[in-house]
């Protein structure tokens, strides 16, 4: 430990450095973030090539790839940030929810670093990290409403504090990112599906295929995407070989239906949020699907209609990354919310224990 650097070590502040490690799905990530909201390094090693031939993430392959690359990704992040372990104030690692093998690898890596360098450990909830990213990028204040949309999750959550979440709604079946991925698979567009479907939808006719928009127009904030997914499959089966123009039209029609459902449910949540949390001013969109330009544009309209500002972090901080974990680590460290070295990895870990 260098003299002076940590003399005020009990009080995390603008110059506090936190290492974040994320391994809950198919990206091995490490980042160094400073308390003044500077991302000093953010290294993401994607496993797309390892999983592409299977058309989706294979948990066992993901876990092995994390084992192989975690140390190197951490070293790369520290080197890029020009920071040594001794200058860190804490190490944060995703402890769930996610694919358990990968979560174990990242959490063990974080624990080893914490033990060897006598650093506090912060066991981070992956969903909280997505939800708190907007405070890293836009320094927004609590409370705010988050639409969390990824490959595994589709929820509307009010963030009342670093450790306080109230879930307003969730999917009753599939996550919206999963629907994008399955649509891409049905159309032979490869993996990951979201960006492929978005790209193919450009220039397509969103009104060509009438696809269901489950729950739209009904009260409440829950989602359902399995019916939409089935309708895409039936359309593909009924149609026979699809020309490029048909694929574009189907992608555009699917995207319009999915985004329409997101917008409808989010509008209900925004109205509820305005009533029950009158101090709230922002709607945040987080998670991998938030990288979609069409999703952002529709949510901007929903936010404006509800008198809220839309906050959408840049796409690279919407998909999985280490910076969101490091930032959550900093926020929790600042509140004294650190964890013991026996913190358990968790495949399931709801944000709102009461939901
Ligand atoms: O947050 P994330 O990186 O990992 C999870 O925690 O799931 O989200 C990945 C999901 C995948 O389903 C992917 O297809 C989707 O986000 N996604 C997109 C786009 N980019 C990523 N979906 C729609 N449009 C995109 N541009
Ligand atoms: Zn994620």
């Amino acid at each position: 430990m260098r003299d002076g650097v940590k003399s005020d070590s009990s009080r995390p502040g603008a110059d506090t450095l936190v290492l974040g490690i994320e391994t809950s799905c198919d990206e091995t990530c490490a980042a160094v973030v400073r308390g003044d909201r500077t991302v000093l390094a953010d290294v993401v090693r994607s496993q797309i090539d390892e999983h592409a031939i299977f058309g989706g993430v294979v948990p066992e392959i993901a876990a092995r790839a994390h084992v192989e690359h975690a140390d190197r990704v951490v070293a790369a992040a520290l080197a890029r940030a020009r920071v040594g372990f001794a200058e860190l104030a804490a190490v944060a690692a995703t402890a769930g929810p996610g694919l358990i093998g990968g979560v174990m690898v990242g959490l063990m890596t974080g624990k080893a670093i914490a033990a060897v360098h006598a650093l506090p450990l912060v066991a981070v909830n992956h969903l909280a990290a997505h939800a708190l990213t907007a405070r890293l990028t836009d320094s927004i204040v609590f409370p705010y409403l988050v639409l969390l949309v990824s490959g595994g999750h589709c929820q509307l959550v009010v963030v009342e504090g670093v450790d306080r979440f109230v879930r307003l709604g969730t999917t009753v079946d599939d996550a919206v990112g999963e629907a994008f991925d399955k649509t891409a698979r049905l159309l032979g567009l490869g993996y990951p599906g979201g960006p492929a479907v978005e790209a193919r939808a450009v220039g397509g006719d969103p009104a060509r295929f009438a696809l269901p928009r489950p729950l739209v127009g009904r009260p409440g904030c829950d989602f359902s995407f399995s019916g939409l997914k089935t309708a895409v499959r039936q359309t593909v089966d009924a149609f026979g070989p699809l020309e490029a123009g048909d694929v574009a039209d189907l992608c555009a029609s699917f995207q319009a239906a999915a985004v329409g459902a997101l917008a409808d449910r989010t509008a209900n949540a925004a109205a509820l949020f305005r009533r029950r949390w009158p101090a709230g001013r922002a709607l945040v969109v987080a998670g991998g699907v938030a990288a979609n330009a069409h999703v952002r544009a529709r949510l901007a309209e929903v936010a404006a209609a509800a008198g809220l500002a839309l906050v959408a972090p840049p796409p690279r901080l919407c998909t999985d990354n280490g910076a969101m974990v490091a930032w959550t680590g900093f926020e929790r460290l600042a509140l004294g919310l650190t964890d013991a070295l026996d913190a358990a990895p968790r495949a399931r870990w709801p944000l709102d224990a009461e939901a």
Side-chain angles (χ1 to χ4, degrees):
M1 223 174 273
R2 291 192 335 215
D3 279 354
V5 174
K6 281 209 199 169
S7 57
D8 199 15
S9 63
S10 60
R11 310 206 53 217
D15 57 356
T16 297
L17 298 172
V18 177
L19 170 68
I21 301 168
E22 155 61 41
T23 56
S24 68
C25 191
D26 60 341
E27 265 129 4
T28 315
C29 317
V32 179
V33 167
R34 202 165 57 200
D36 66 356
R37 301 188 163 82
T38 306
V39 178
L40 296 181
D42 183 18
V43 178
V44 177
R45 189 206 168 265
S46 166
Q47 303 172 2
I48 284 180
D49 295 342
E50 281 108 312
H51 300 290
I53 48 166
F54 301 101
V57 179
V58 183
E60 178 67 9
I61 292 174
R64 283 167 193 270
H66 288 306
V67 170
E68 203 172 316
H69 298 287
D71 288 347
R72 236 174 307 162
V73 167
V74 167
L78 291 171
R80 207 168 288 178
R82 298 175 182 277
V83 164
F85 285 113
E87 290 159 87
L88 297 173
V91 53
T94 298
L99 301 174
I100 193 66
V103 172
M104 286 167 68
V105 173
L107 185 57
M108 279 304 293
T109 304
K111 286 177 181 180
I113 293 168
V116 171
H117 300 282
L119 294 169
L121 172 76
V122 185
V124 168
N125 179 305
H126 180 87
L127 304 176
H130 275 305
L132 292 172
T133 301
R135 287 173 52 81
L136 166 65
T137 57
D138 295 79
S139 54
I140 63 168
V141 295
F142 302 117
Y144 55 90
L145 174 65
V146 177
L147 171 66
L148 186 56
V149 276
S150 72
H153 302 277
C154 189
Q155 327 189 334
L156 281 154
V157 178
V158 176
V159 186
E160 293 185 325
V162 171
D163 206 27
R164 292 216 323 268
F165 303 89
V166 179
R167 196 172 81 186
L168 301 183
T170 187
T171 182
V172 298
D173 41 56
D174 297 342
V176 63
E178 206 178 331
F180 269 93
D181 293 335
K182 296 219 168 115
T183 295
R185 207 151 142 186
L186 281 164
L187 294 172
L189 302 182
Y191 159 86
V197 170
E198 180 176 15
R200 288 301 196 96
V202 174
D205 176 7
R208 162 105 180 266
F209 297 99
L211 298 171
R213 287 167 167 70
L215 298 179
V216 166
R218 303 249 294 269
C221 308
D222 284 335
F223 301 89
S224 167
F225 288 100
S226 73
L228 174 57
K229 182 185 68 187
T230 306
V232 170
R233 196 186 59 233
Q234 286 166 344
T235 305
V236 171
D237 289 348
F239 210 83
L242 295 163
E243 307 282 331
D246 303 322
V247 171
D249 290 346
L250 190 49
C251 285
S253 300
F254 163 79
Q255 188 170 252
V259 175
L262 291 178
D264 178 85
R265 315 313 288 163
T266 306
N268 288 357
L272 181 62
F273 178 61
R274 292 287 285 174
R275 274 202 310 278
R276 279 181 39 200
W277 286 268
R281 294 284 175 274
L283 167 65
V284 171
V285 59
V289 180
N292 184 293
H294 199 60
V295 169
R296 289 166 175 249
R298 274 298 280 121
L299 290 176
E301 293 168 11
V302 169
L308 298 170
L310 179 72
V311 176
R316 63 163 292 135
L317 291 176
C318 284
T319 50
D320 289 348
N321 64 87
M324 68 181 190
V325 178
W327 174 253
T328 303
F330 171 76
E331 293 245 51
R332 294 186 68 88
L333 180 72
L335 296 176
L337 298 171
T338 59
D339 295 273
L341 286 182
D342 64 354
R346 299 164 73 165
R348 302 179 68 84
W349 185 0
L351 265 184
D352 176 352
E354 279 158 40

